[in-house]
Amino acid sequence: MLSILPIPAFRDNYIWLAHDGQDAFVVDPGDAAPVQAHLAELGLRLSAILITHHHPDHVGGISTLLAKWACPVYGPASEDIPGRSHALREGDTLELSAPAARMRILELPGHTLGHIAYVGEGHAFVGDTLFAGGCGRLFEGTPAQMLDSLDKLSELPAATRVYCAHEYTLANLRFALAVEGDNPALAARLQHATRLREQGLPTVPSTIGEEITTNPFLRSRVQSVAAAASRHAQGNLSTPEAVFAEVRRWKDGF
Ligand code: ZN
Ligand code: FE
């Protein structure tokens, strides 16, 4: 059984640490120091590093960690990942023995072109593709690519826990309310997330089910979201791609 905990890093990053009491893997260690501190405190060995995409706040700690732990580094095949030992593509399976874990690789272009997620056993490590209440900015991909990527994630079982890489939830939900002010699940979610943040607690992981009901970026086919996006665009947006693109643009300037 894996224990999974967030290691806060920088301003609002989370580095996910998964362990069985002895061995651990981390996802997207942008900074080595807080990872080393957690490993030492919990008495864990680092046995693998998993990377979702090439941005510095996700890969910056790899070389320092490798100097101490000679462990494999898994990462997307089509991006430049420092120290990568295993290049992963859509449909690949990653099997770790310690801690025991089996994950499937999804390619999720949008935030970056090579971005991948690690999915298995009820968990999804999604990097900067899907956030609690939001999605990553389109630095490299197109809206159509990102919509496809988010569609892939929304097909996962509703109970799948979503481990994203940033604490952006409050800002995301405030924007979501501007899009869908009459979604009762959304108001409740913002209230709950606000309480968590007031106590200094993370709002993540969320679940795919929660995201489907409250995250506007997974709701481009919902009439109220399409209507709000059309009002914002001052025109009739007739495809999910156009709705998604408008909501993403709207959020960029929100
Ligand atoms: Zn990123
Ligand atoms: Fe990031």
Coordinates of all heavy atoms in Angstrom, one line a residue, residues 51-60 76 78-82 111-115 140:
I51 N 9.0 12.1 -14.0 CA 8.9 13.4 -14.5 C 7.7 13.5 -15.5 O 7.6 12.6 -16.3 CB 10.2 13.8 -15.2 CG1 11.4 13.8 -14.2 CG2 10.0 15.2 -15.8 CD1 11.3 14.7 -13.1
T52 N 6.9 14.6 -15.3 CA 5.8 14.7 -16.3 C 6.1 15.6 -17.5 O 5.5 15.4 -18.6 CB 4.5 15.3 -15.6 OG1 4.8 16.7 -15.1 CG2 4.1 14.5 -14.4
H53 N 6.9 16.6 -17.3 CA 7.3 17.5 -18.4 C 8.6 18.3 -18.0 O 9.0 18.3 -16.9 CB 6.1 18.4 -18.8 CG 5.8 19.4 -17.8 ND1 5.2 19.1 -16.6 CD2 5.8 20.8 -17.8 CE1 4.9 20.2 -15.9 NE2 5.3 21.3 -16.6
H54 N 9.1 19.0 -19.0 CA 10.4 19.6 -18.9 C 10.6 20.9 -18.2 O 11.7 21.4 -18.0 CB 11.0 19.7 -20.3 CG 10.4 20.8 -21.1 ND1 10.7 22.1 -21.0 CD2 9.4 20.7 -22.0 CE1 9.9 22.8 -21.9 NE2 9.1 22.0 -22.5
H55 N 9.5 21.5 -17.7 CA 9.7 22.8 -17.0 C 10.6 22.8 -15.8 O 10.6 21.8 -15.0 CB 8.3 23.4 -16.7 CG 7.6 23.9 -17.9 ND1 6.2 24.1 -17.9 CD2 8.0 24.3 -19.1 CE1 5.9 24.6 -19.1 NE2 6.9 24.7 -19.8
P56 N 11.4 23.8 -15.6 CA 12.4 23.9 -14.5 C 11.8 23.6 -13.1 O 12.5 23.0 -12.3 CB 13.0 25.3 -14.6 CG 12.7 25.7 -16.0 CD 11.5 25.1 -16.5
D57 N 10.6 24.0 -12.9 CA 10.0 23.8 -11.6 C 9.6 22.4 -11.4 O 9.1 22.0 -10.3 CB 8.8 24.8 -11.3 CG 7.7 24.6 -12.2 OD1 7.9 24.5 -13.4 OD2 6.5 24.6 -11.7
H58 N 9.8 21.5 -12.4 CA 9.5 20.1 -12.3 C 10.7 19.2 -12.4 O 10.7 18.1 -11.9 CB 8.5 19.7 -13.3 CG 7.2 20.4 -13.2 ND1 6.0 19.8 -12.8 CD2 6.9 21.7 -13.4 CE1 5.1 20.7 -12.7 NE2 5.5 21.9 -13.1
V59 N 11.8 19.8 -12.9 CA 13.0 18.9 -13.2 C 14.3 19.5 -12.4 O 15.3 18.8 -12.4 CB 13.4 18.8 -14.7 CG1 12.2 18.2 -15.5 CG2 13.8 20.1 -15.3
G60 N 14.1 20.6 -11.8 CA 15.3 21.3 -11.3 C 16.1 20.6 -10.2 O 17.3 20.9 -10.0
P76 N 9.1 11.8 -20.1 CA 8.5 11.8 -21.5 C 9.6 11.6 -22.6 O 10.6 12.3 -22.5 CB 7.8 13.1 -21.6 CG 8.4 14.0 -20.6 CD 8.8 13.1 -19.5
S78 N 9.6 12.5 -25.6 CA 9.8 13.6 -26.6 C 10.2 14.9 -26.0 O 10.2 15.9 -26.7 CB 8.5 13.8 -27.4 OG 7.5 14.2 -26.6
E79 N 10.6 14.9 -24.7 CA 11.2 16.1 -24.1 C 12.6 15.9 -23.6 O 12.9 14.8 -23.3 CB 10.2 16.6 -23.0 CG 8.9 17.1 -23.6 CD 8.0 17.8 -22.6 OE1 8.4 17.9 -21.4 OE2 6.9 18.3 -23.0
D80 N 13.3 17.0 -23.4 CA 14.6 17.0 -22.9 C 14.6 16.9 -21.4 O 14.2 17.9 -20.8 CB 15.3 18.3 -23.3 CG 16.7 18.0 -24.0 OD1 17.0 16.8 -24.1 OD2 17.4 19.0 -24.3
I81 N 14.8 15.8 -20.8 CA 14.8 15.7 -19.3 C 16.1 15.3 -18.8 O 16.7 14.3 -19.1 CB 13.8 14.6 -18.9 CG1 12.4 14.8 -19.6 CG2 13.6 14.5 -17.4 CD1 11.7 16.0 -19.2
P82 N 16.7 16.2 -17.9 CA 18.1 15.9 -17.4 C 18.1 14.6 -16.7 O 17.2 14.3 -15.8 CB 18.3 17.1 -16.5 CG 17.1 17.9 -16.3 CD 16.1 17.5 -17.4
H111 N -0.1 21.7 -22.3 CA 0.8 22.6 -21.5 C 2.2 22.6 -22.1 O 2.7 23.7 -22.4 CB 0.8 22.1 -20.1 CG 1.6 22.9 -19.1 ND1 1.4 24.2 -18.8 CD2 2.8 22.6 -18.5 CE1 2.3 24.6 -17.9 NE2 3.2 23.6 -17.8
T112 N 2.7 21.4 -22.3 CA 3.9 21.2 -23.2 C 3.5 20.1 -24.2 O 2.5 19.4 -24.0 CB 5.2 20.8 -22.4 OG1 5.0 19.5 -21.9 CG2 5.5 21.8 -21.4
L113 N 4.3 20.0 -25.3 CA 3.9 19.0 -26.3 C 4.2 17.6 -25.9 O 3.5 16.6 -26.3 CB 4.7 19.3 -27.6 CG 4.1 20.5 -28.3 CD1 5.0 20.9 -29.5 CD2 2.7 20.3 -28.8
G114 N 5.2 17.3 -25.0 CA 5.5 16.0 -24.6 C 5.0 15.5 -23.3 O 5.2 14.4 -22.8
H115 N 4.2 16.4 -22.6 CA 3.7 16.1 -21.3 C 3.1 14.8 -21.1 O 2.2 14.4 -22.0 CB 2.7 17.2 -20.9 CG 2.4 17.4 -19.5 ND1 1.9 16.3 -18.7 CD2 2.5 18.4 -18.6 CE1 1.7 16.8 -17.4 NE2 2.1 18.0 -17.4
E140 N 2.8 25.3 -25.2 CA 3.3 24.7 -26.5 C 2.2 24.1 -27.3 O 2.3 24.1 -28.6 CB 4.3 23.6 -26.1 CG 5.5 24.1 -25.4 CD 6.5 23.0 -24.9 OE1 6.4 21.9 -25.4 OE2 7.4 23.3 -24.1

